[in-house]
């Protein structure tokens, strides 16, 4: 298994390892400075370590692929464009439905933006799968 060592791979690998190091520093130094019952540095340090490990693993996975393997072909680009277009209109329809519901209730946007985001992401994934299975994209 050959690992690429170009500047993009090294940059993201450095960012990932830097986040892990920053998380370790936050976990090691900050709790000594602030009082012991304060859990904020533990949460932030843990998040930095987790994100750094995920970024490092993604970078190592990408480094094992050739640059030609990472370039999308025209068909997959068209599938992403068409799925994104239809997912956008699904979200617009959901927002219009929520506006109508808001006329008759006290619905706040902060109550529904999470489920609206989930609807948009799932519709994009499902539409990508559907258009990929369908085969002919026009």
């Amino acid at each position: 298994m050959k690992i690429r060592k170009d500047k993009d791979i090294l940059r993201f690998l450095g960012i990932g390892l830097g986040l892990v190091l920053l998380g370790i520093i936050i976990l090691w130094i900050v709790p000594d400075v602030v009082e012991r019952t304060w859990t904020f540095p533990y949460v932030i340090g843990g998040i930095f370590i987790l994100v750094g490990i995920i970024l490092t693993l993604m970078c190592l996975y990408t480094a094992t692929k050739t640059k030609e393997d990472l370039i999308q072909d025209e068909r997959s680009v068209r599938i992403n464009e068409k799925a994104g277009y239809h997912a956008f209109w699904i979200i617009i329809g959901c927002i219009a439905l929520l506006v109508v519901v808001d006329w008759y209730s006290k619905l706040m946007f902060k109550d529904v933006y999470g489920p609206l985001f989930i609807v948009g992401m799932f519709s994009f994934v499902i539409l990508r799968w559907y258009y990929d299975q369908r085969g002919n994209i026009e």
Side-chain angles (χ1 to χ4, degrees), residues 97-108:
L97 182 68
L98 290 172
V99 167
V100 171
V101 168
D102 186 40
W103 290 342
Y104 301 105
S105 69
K106 299 291 182 204
L107 189 67
M108 301 293 289

Side-chain angles (χ1 to χ4, degrees), residues 44-55:
I44 295 297
I47 289 174
F48 276 143
I49 290 173
L50 181 67
V51 169
I53 289 172
I54 290 172
L55 188 63

Side-chain angles (χ1 to χ4, degrees), residues 75-84 128 131-132 137:
R75 182 176 177 273
S76 62
V77 169
R78 180 69 179 137
I79 286 172
N80 285 339
E81 289 173 356
K82 194 168 183 180
R128 269 188 62 198
Y131 290 135
D132 192 32
I137 300 296

Side-chain angles (χ1 to χ4, degrees), residues 6-25:
D6 57 352
K7 67 176 183 172
D8 297 329
I9 297 295
L10 293 177
R11 180 182 308 136
F12 283 108
L13 187 63
I15 291 171
L17 294 176
L19 284 173
V20 171
L21 183 65
L22 181 65
I24 291 171
I25 289 172

